[in-house]
Each structure stands twice: as C-alpha cells, then as structure tokens.
Amino acid sequence: MLSHRNLIANVEAVNEWLMSKMKTSNHEGPLSMVAALPLYHVFAMTINALSGLKWGALNILITNPRDIPGFIKELKKFKINIFPGLNTLFNGLLNNPEFKNVDFSGLKITIAGGMALQKVVASRWEEETGCILVEGYGLSETSPVLSVSPLNGNHRLGTIGVPFPSTEMRIRSDDDTWLKPGERGEICAKGPQIMLGYYNRPDETAKVIFEDESGRWFRTGDIGIEDPDGFFKIVDRKKDMILVSGFNVYPNEVEAVVTQCPGVLEVACVGIPDDKTGEMVKVFIVKKDPNLTEEIVRNFCRENLTAYKCPKQIEFRSELPKTNVGKILRRALRDEELEKRNA
C-alpha cells in the first residue's frame, strides 16, 4: 500500500537528484525521455509518468522494447535526454550493430534499475553514447527509489550510490544488530517513501517492518555492504543465495564474471540441489558467438572465480525467461530444475 505521501516524496527526491544535473548541463527546452518499461511498473510510473509530468517532458513510448531493430528505429527520430531502463535492455541495444548510428549527443542521464547493472554493460554504454550509466536501487514497497549514484561526477561503478534525500539506509545482521561499514548483511531503510504495509496482510507486513528507537524500518531482503564513505553495494537477494558446502555463493557475482567471457550475450545463475554439496552452481547462457562452448566458459570461470563458485553445470539456451519489464527470472529456471529432480 503506497500513499500519496509515499509517491510524492519519491517524485520530489527524484526531481532534486535529476535537476542537479540538468542545471549544469545547459539544456534548453522540454526534456525528452525514453519510456521503454511498462508504465504499470513502479520504476516507469515514478520516473516516466509522475516525474515526467512534473517536468513537462516528452515520453517516447516504446510499445515493444524486445523488438530491438524497431526500438533503434524510434530512437533515431528523437534527441533523447533521459533514458531509464534495465541491464538486459541496454545490453540488447549495445549488441545490435545499428545502435552505433543513433545520435546520443543530447543524452544527459541514463539510469539502470530493476536488476543488477553489470560493469561490462555500463562501460560499453558510456563508450558508445558518451553518457555515464548510473545505477539506482529500490523496490515496489519503497515507491520505489531508495538510493542512486550521484550525477556530479562522483558516481561509482558497481554501487547503487547513496541514499535519497530524507532516506536512511543501514546494514543489519541475521541476529538483528546493526553492522559496521564493510560488513555484509541485509539492507534496511527508513524514509517517507516506505509503504504503509501489505494490503490485508498484517502477518506479511510484520515480517518486513520493524521499529527501534530511531524509527520505522523496512527490511529489503537484499544483501548488501556499505562502504566507509556511504556508498552501498548490492550483493544479491537473500532468497537467491546459493549454499555450496557451507559457503555462500551469490548469483550476481557469478553472472558478472560470466558476462565478461567473450561470446556470452546473457546469463542467469541459480543454485540446484546436490547430494554432496547441498547445492551446486548452474548457469544458463544465451550465446552471442555460436562457437562458444562449455569448455571455454569453464576455463574462463576457473581463471576468474574461486573453485566453489565455478558453475558445475552449464546450459545453453536461445533465450532466458523474463518478466514483462525484461528482468531475468531466476526463479523460473530454478523451478524447472526442481521439477526435473522430482520427476
């Protein structure tokens, strides 16, 4: 349940963050924004619909962002200033040869959300467009934005930036104690954008909302780390963590390495049951190079990952299951594996 206050607080914070950049960019005239995410998704609803309305911006609606050639054709018709999207979307555009022919001279801000931004994608995006790709972080329960990288040149690749105005974020342990910078635990947040609760589900609300002497906090379910200077990093979702012989393996870390392997277009990492180690690491890969083999991937992982983090199984697919927004559905892949095992 999101109140008007929740949503407006987030829109005002988005405005302060973005306008700090636009005031120094010498931009004149109305803003133009890419609207490639479904407007019912809280990311697009806040950035494109509500904030776009506040700015009087032109939203360029991309009805089928999976049609990359059609998407690029639309991009060529406009001078884009703001481009929100997901890692998979940016990756798909970058791997189309026609993308190089789009004029991005007016692009001031590119923001990724909804899933982890991979460093290789962010680096390529800046190289191709001349615009940095910053990462934001939030959830439907937080209206949605909690943190984002600064736009003043102090952004840091591989982080979700710093908390939004009027927002506080801290790291909490499994035994409910606050952790110090550098220690790994669950990200908790408080601020005017935190939901009222889950509709007619006080039991579920009680699992994620708690209060202490400093106020009302929300448990995000994401494992993260706070750097000494206040920047936060996402490690992974608690529920997605893989336990291999007692060692924690985070799919984001494995995916970040595998995407750097030449010939890989997309990858998803999941844990599947194993009689010896409890769980094993399995990756599903969409090829960019048809000559890519399991052995190439295995050797690359051995060179760049600790042994217990290396995938024991590799499966190539023509595509990966995704949400309507374009987020890769690890859960669907994990469920498939469990069904196979049960059968």
Side-chain angles (χ1 to χ4, degrees), residues 202-268:
D203 52 337
E204 292 298 318
T205 301
K207 292 177 183 178
V208 297
I209 299 290
F210 69 94
E211 293 192 30
D212 65 7
E213 64 281 356
S214 64
R216 182 174 179 269
W217 291 86
F218 171 71
R219 302 177 190 270
T220 66
D222 286 311
I223 303 297
I225 299 171
E226 180 185 4
D227 288 341
D229 56 357
F231 278 76
F232 282 78
K233 297 175 184 175
I234 291 285
V235 178
D236 223 315
R237 289 293 294 172
K238 249 185 172 182
K239 293 177 181 177
D240 288 342
M241 188 185 75
I242 305 166
L243 201 61
V244 179
S245 297
F247 293 98
N248 295 345
V249 179
Y250 296 96
N252 277 346
E253 182 182 358
V254 177
E255 291 170 1
V257 168
V258 176
T259 52
Q260 296 178 56
C261 178
V264 172
L265 178 63
E266 290 181 338
V267 61

Side-chain angles (χ1 to χ4, degrees), residues 9-247:
N10 216 231
V11 168
E12 290 299 325
V14 168
N15 184 64
E16 289 301 311
W17 168 75
L18 179 130
M19 286 304 162
S20 66
K21 171 71 174 181
M22 300 311 296
K23 287 174 183 175
T24 60
S25 67
N26 299 318
H27 177 78
E28 295 181 1
L31 294 170
S32 60
M33 308 169 64
V34 174
L37 306 175
L39 293 175
Y40 57 75
H41 190 277
V42 71
F43 183 15
M45 183 187 78
T46 302
I47 300 294
N48 292 99
L50 299 179
S51 298
L53 181 65
K54 180 179 177 68
W55 301 323
L58 168 67
N59 269 294
I60 299 148
L61 184 64
I62 308 298
T63 55
N64 182 14
R66 296 184 184 185
D67 174 13
I68 297 295
F71 192 164
I72 292 174
K73 186 177 178 181
E74 290 302 309
L75 290 177
K76 289 180 178 179
K77 298 177 183 178
F78 302 91
K79 202 156 190 177
I80 307 298
N81 306 129
I82 304 171
F83 199 144
L86 272 69
N87 184 84
T88 47
L89 179 67
F90 298 127
N91 190 39
L93 290 167
L94 286 166
N95 282 287
N96 187 291
E98 196 58 32
F99 184 73
K100 296 179 183 291
N101 297 322
V102 179
D103 177 13
F104 284 111
S105 60
L107 187 60
K108 308 297 182 186
I109 298 167
T110 312
I111 177 172
M115 63 182 296
L117 173 65
Q118 293 163 343
K119 287 185 179 181
V120 64
V121 173
S123 298
R124 284 189 62 199
W125 184 268
E126 185 174 358
E127 183 181 326
E128 294 284 346
T129 68
C131 177
I132 61 171
L133 205 174
V134 299
E135 186 172 4
Y137 167 68
L139 306 91
S140 297
E141 292 93 334
T142 61
S143 305
V145 189
L146 286 173
S147 69
V148 73
S149 260
L151 295 172
N152 59 3
N154 293 326
H155 68 285
R156 189 175 304 168
L157 201 59
T159 77
I160 54 170
V162 295
F164 249 17
S166 303
T167 303
E168 187 174 348
M169 291 166 57
R170 295 184 71 182
I171 305 296
R172 199 166 177 86
S173 69
D174 287 338
D175 60 2
D176 284 337
T177 58
W178 294 118
L179 298 176
K180 298 175 182 177
E183 295 182 317
R184 183 174 295 186
E186 183 175 11
I187 297 174
C188 297
K190 70 171 182 174
Q193 71 273 59
I194 303 300
M195 68 170 182
L196 304 181
Y198 295 116
Y199 183 65
N200 284 343
R201 293 302 302 272
D203 52 337
E204 292 298 318
T205 301
K207 292 177 183 178
V208 297
I209 299 290
F210 69 94
E211 293 192 30
D212 65 7
E213 64 281 356
S214 64
R216 182 174 179 269
W217 291 86
F218 171 71
R219 302 177 190 270
T220 66
D222 286 311
I223 303 297
I225 299 171
E226 180 185 4
D227 288 341
D229 56 357
F231 278 76
F232 282 78
K233 297 175 184 175
I234 291 285
V235 178
D236 223 315
R237 289 293 294 172
K238 249 185 172 182
K239 293 177 181 177
D240 288 342
M241 188 185 75
I242 305 166
L243 201 61
V244 179
S245 297
F247 293 98

